[in-house]
């Protein structure tokens, strides 16, 4: 009880230090110009830039010195559950979001905490996943979205709440895990809840006032374009109201042409036969106008989704070499197990270029080379009262973790999971607000993995120009839950395995060149930044959520290690060039 | 946001309802956390606190004598009759109802209760005294992440939260059989009167999932 009391008293209370900490005395306001052209030393948004590259132009840490990479500081968040937020860094100050919607501001050089924002949810609160995928920056504010469906603006210097607005209704099963995205003074965010009958949307709010600017509904209202792909009458005429299509990951932004590209999640309930039709914009990428949220175009990866193959990951914005010219394009390893290349025009029109499987997909019998529309093997389509067996399982060929694109080499690095399938039979489930109503009970979903499976998780390195795989690394005893960071020096960094390792690879060959065992499994994206001219690599280690759930299944059914330690820790690494003298970097707190 | 949360006042409203010692202590701590809320009954810890304001009857915890109303489905808001609940039926999710005013206590999510009927001979000594004709009642809010629990397991005595698969034994005091939940479900004593299932006491433990860390 004493613990409850102290927690209650601490909730939403800030823990400021006396006076402003060093990096905050001259806090650099975040402008559109800075977000469009982020300085190499900063990591201003979840994927590092609007194109979604998860790439650092910094060049100090390279193949020749990576063996000397050492932790220079770490920081325990004191929070359990899955830590999925990358550190966000702006000129020497680091912001880390944690499960339970806390934000910790730290001195990025020393690891000293500057302020901490805590939140207490209402009594009886529920959310399917208690994770958070990071903050957004704009002006002198930090934005964090909440499991309790609130978008909160904090003063970047003090952590004080500037505004706090409602985005969705948690009592109906909606919850927010996504990092918000800041574009032109608006903060964009969408909730999760595709297993709870939530109709997906993206909302934009004014960064200064919190006033709502627009809403884009991922399932169109009857009469709107796209609504013709939903049942108009009969038993399923109201399917659109609970149709899913939640937009639960940050989108990408074409700064030159002012076009947003956002991913749309799975259909709800999972059974496509409970919402006959193609079901736009479920399992699609949509191009939106950031000023008013109006749709410009879309591409649907697969119609009438019945597999929970959510397309929440926006495609990575790249350019392809075509006849000696650079052509704007997009590339995306999707949850359905196919790797897509798409065209994008200056006007935001999306076109299909090609698609190929990057893991085993047992459902698609063909993909139309002109339109990208797949045909299905009905044995792989679960229905109401009809079992379907399909690969990949709900966790997909690639789940939410970020792929990485290295613009210097044209390589795309994909964290993937293969050789896992699923069987389930659907039913009609009463929708009880706040309870899972995906059309199948969690106890009736069977994950199917061969006993002698050679691997599940891994990394694929793909040449974006040729679409060919160059190398892969595979994990015999682990799924892959980690995002990837690529560097200008042709290294990649990633975690994601159940052995708690943080690894660096040679980007060209796939050879592992460095590793470090952290406190827990890593499911947050690695990032890089620099302070006072010194490059750092940062990661938050904190296993949980789906990685822990699947690990439990693997332990029970395949004898894998059961208990992966939980609890979040921020780790920051640098090349210790002063090793010879035995001097540590300046991370002391001045207590001596 | 629905009025479920906006209307829910502090947890100390339950303090004036003759709860057992453990809950009085909870209430006292709650009073410390929210000093402007309802005054406690004279003689209880915390007497002398600021003046009372009328408790919100919708958000009061279940009161002895309350009946139940279905919280969803085609029978939403209709009374839960003992005869409606049979062994092997899925859990009935319900809110307590003040029989005098017919106020449904839906003002707080932790008032969601699940009811099942079990074989009376299977009930453990901790559970049997608060069951009625084999009917047992528990908080419906999973102690893991707070989802309402809706699935009966094949043994007709345990329930499964279909969000993450936690299982609780309702014949044995709500004990956790399978995680990820780590804390048992709080029970709610019930009786049967005039065919209605009624409340016969207070929740026997903490409600819901952790709200912060």
């Amino acid at each position: 009880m004493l613990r409850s009391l102290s927690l209650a008293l601490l909730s939403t209370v800030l823990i400021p230090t006396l006076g402003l900490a060093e990096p905050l005395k001259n806090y650099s306001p975040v402008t559109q110009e800075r977000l469009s052209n982020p300085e190499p030393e900063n990591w201003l948004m979840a994927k590092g830039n609007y194109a979604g590259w998860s790439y650092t132009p910094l060049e100090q840490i390279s193949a020749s010195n990576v063996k000397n990479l050492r932790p220079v500081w770490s920081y325990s968040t004191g929070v359990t559950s899955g830590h999925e937020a990358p550190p966000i860094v702006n000129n020497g100050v680091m912001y880390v979001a944690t499960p339970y919607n806390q934000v910790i501001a730290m001195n990025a050089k020393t690891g000293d905490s500057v302020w901490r924002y805590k939140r207490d949810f209402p009594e009886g609160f529920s959310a399917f996943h208690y994770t958070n995928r990071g903050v957004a920056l704009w002006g002198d504010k930090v934005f964090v979205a909440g499991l309790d469906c609130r978008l909160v603006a904090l003063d970047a210097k003090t952590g004080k709440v500037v505004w706090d607005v409602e985005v969705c209704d948690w009592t109906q099963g909606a919850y927010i895990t996504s990092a918000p995205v800041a574009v032109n003074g608006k903060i964009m965010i969408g909730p999760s809840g595709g297993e709870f009958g939530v109709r997906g949307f993206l909302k934009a709010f004014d960064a200064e006032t919190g006033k709502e600017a627009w809403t884009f509904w991922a399932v169109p209202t009857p009469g709107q374009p796209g609504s013709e792909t939903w049942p108009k009458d009969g038993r399923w005429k109201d399917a659109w109201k609970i149709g899913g299509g939640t937009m639960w990951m940050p989108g990408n932004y074409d700064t030159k042409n002012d076009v947003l590209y956002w991913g749309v999640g799975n259909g709800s309930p999972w059974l496509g036969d409970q919402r006959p039709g193609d079901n736009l914009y479920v399992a699609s990428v949509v191009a939106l106008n950031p000023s008013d949220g109006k749709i410009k175009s879309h591409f649907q990866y697969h119609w009438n989704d019945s597999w929970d193959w959510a397309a929440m990951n926006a495609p990575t914005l790249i350019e392809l070499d075509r006849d000696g010219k650079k052509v704007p394009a997009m590339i995306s390893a999707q949850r359905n197990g196919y790797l897509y290349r798409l065209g994008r025009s200056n006007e935001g029109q999306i076109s299909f270029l090609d698609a190929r499987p990057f893991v085993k997909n047992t459902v698609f019998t063909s993909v139309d080379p002109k339109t990208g529309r797949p045909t299905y093997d009905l044995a792989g389509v679960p229905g109401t009262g009809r079992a379907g067996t399909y690969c990949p399982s709900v966790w997909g060929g690639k789940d939410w973790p970020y792929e990485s694109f290295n613009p210097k080499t044209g390589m795309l690095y994909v964290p993937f999971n293969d050789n896992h399938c699923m069987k389930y039979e659907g039913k009609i489930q009463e929708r009880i607000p706040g309870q899972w109503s995906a059309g199948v009970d969690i106890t009736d979903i069977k994950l199917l993995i061969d006993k002698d499976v050679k691997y599940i998780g891994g990394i694929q390195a793909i040449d974006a120009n040729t679409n060919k795989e160059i190398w892969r690394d595979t994990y015999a005893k682990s799924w892959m839950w980690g995002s990837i960071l690529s560097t200008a020096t042709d290294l990649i960094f990633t975690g994601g395995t159940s052995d708690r390792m943080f690894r660096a690879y040679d980007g060209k060959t796939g050879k592992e060149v460095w590793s470090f065992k952290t406190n827990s499994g890593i499911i947050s994206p690695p990032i890089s930044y620099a302070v006072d001219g010194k490059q750092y690599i940062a990661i938050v280690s904190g296993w949980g959520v789906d990685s822990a759930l699947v690990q439990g299944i693997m332990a029970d059914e395949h004898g894998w290690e059961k208990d992966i330690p939980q609890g979040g820790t921020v780790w920051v690494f640098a090349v210790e060039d002063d090793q010879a003298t035995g001097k540590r970097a300046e991370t002391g707190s001045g207590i001596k | 946001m629905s009025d479920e949360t906006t209307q829910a006042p502090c947890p100390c409203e339950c303090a004036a309802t003759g709860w057992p010692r453990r809950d009085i202590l909870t209430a006292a701590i709650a009073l410390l956390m929210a000093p402007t809320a309802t005054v406690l009954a004279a003689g209880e810890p915390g007497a002398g606190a600021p003046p009372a304001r009328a408790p919100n009857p919708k958000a009061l915890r279940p009161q002895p004598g309350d009946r139940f109303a279905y919280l969803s489905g085609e029978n939403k808001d209709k009374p839960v009759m003992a005869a409606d609940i049979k062994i092997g039926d899925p859990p009935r999710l319900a809110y307590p109802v003040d029989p005098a005013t017919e106020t449904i206590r839906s003002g707080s999510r932790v008032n969601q209760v699940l009811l099942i009927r079990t074989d009376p001979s299977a009930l453990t000594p901790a559970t049997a005294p608060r069951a009625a004709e084999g009917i047992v009642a528990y908080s419906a809010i999973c102690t893991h992440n707070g989802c309402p629990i809706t699935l009966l397991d094949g043994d007709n005595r345990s329930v499964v939260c279909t969000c993450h698969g936690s299982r609780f034994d309702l014949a044995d005091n709500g004990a956790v059989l399978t995680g990820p939940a780590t804390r048992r479900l709080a029970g709610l004593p019930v009786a049967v009167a005039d065919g209605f299932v009624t409340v016969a006491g207070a929740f026997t433990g903490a409600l819901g999932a952790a709200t912060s860390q």
Side-chain angles (χ1 to χ4, degrees), chain A residues 80 120 123-124 166 430 435, chain B residues 1 61 72 109 148 211 213:
Chain A
T80 57
D120 194 5
E123 187 183 37
E166 182 179 301
E430 181 194 351
Q435 178 51 274
Chain B
M1 191 74 67
R61 293 292 163 269
S72 66
R109 199 159 183 270
T211 58
Q213 276 199 348

Side-chain angles (χ1 to χ4, degrees), chain A residues 49-70:
Chain A
N49 69 9
Y50 278 134
W53 288 353
S54 296
Y55 164 82
T56 177
L58 295 172
E59 295 182 320
Q60 277 178 16
I61 298 171
S62 66
S64 64
N65 62 17
V66 69
K67 63 180 185 299
N68 295 328
L69 202 60
R70 304 274 188 273

Side-chain angles (χ1 to χ4, degrees), chain A residues 176-187:
Chain A
I176 306 178
T177 58
S178 180
V181 174
V183 174
N184 293 328
K186 291 189 179 69
I187 309 300

Side-chain angles (χ1 to χ4, degrees), chain A residues 1-2 4-5 7-9 78-80 100 102 118-130 148 150 166 168-171 196 427 429-436 441-443 549, chain B residues 1-2 4-5 9-11 22 25-26 29 32-33 61 71-74 93 108-110 112 141-142 144-151 160-165 207-213:
Chain A
M1 273 182 192
L2 280 178
S4 308
L5 177 59
L7 281 174
L9 291 173
V79 181
T80 57
Y100 293 85
Q102 300 187 25
K118 286 195 171 191
R119 195 163 183 87
D120 194 5
F121 301 129
E123 187 183 37
F125 176 75
S126 77
F128 186 50
H129 290 139
Y130 276 37
D148 55 353
R150 310 290 297 189
E166 182 179 301
C168 45
D169 183 352
W170 68 263
T171 67
F196 295 77
K427 63 180 181 181
Q429 267 185 320
E430 181 194 351
R431 183 167 181 257
I432 295 168
Q435 178 51 274
W436 172 286
D441 284 324
I442 195 168
T443 46
L549 176 71
Chain B
M1 191 74 67
S2 80
E4 285 202 344
T5 49
C10 93
R22 174 194 176 95
L25 187 52
T26 307
I29 287 177
L32 285 172
M33 293 190 285
R61 293 292 163 269
L71 71 75
S72 66
E74 57 188 23
L93 265 65
S108 170
R109 199 159 183 270
V110 292
Q112 294 187 3
I141 304 299
C142 182
H144 172 231
N145 275 11
C147 297
I149 297 170
T150 54
L151 187 68
V160 183
C161 176
T162 66
C163 274
H164 301 94
L207 303 174
T211 58
S212 67
Q213 276 199 348

Side-chain angles (χ1 to χ4, degrees), chain A residues 357-370:
Chain A
F358 67 97
V359 298
K360 181 173 65 178
N361 172 312
T362 58
V363 177
F364 292 6
T365 48
S366 68
V367 173
D368 187 295
K370 284 205 177 104

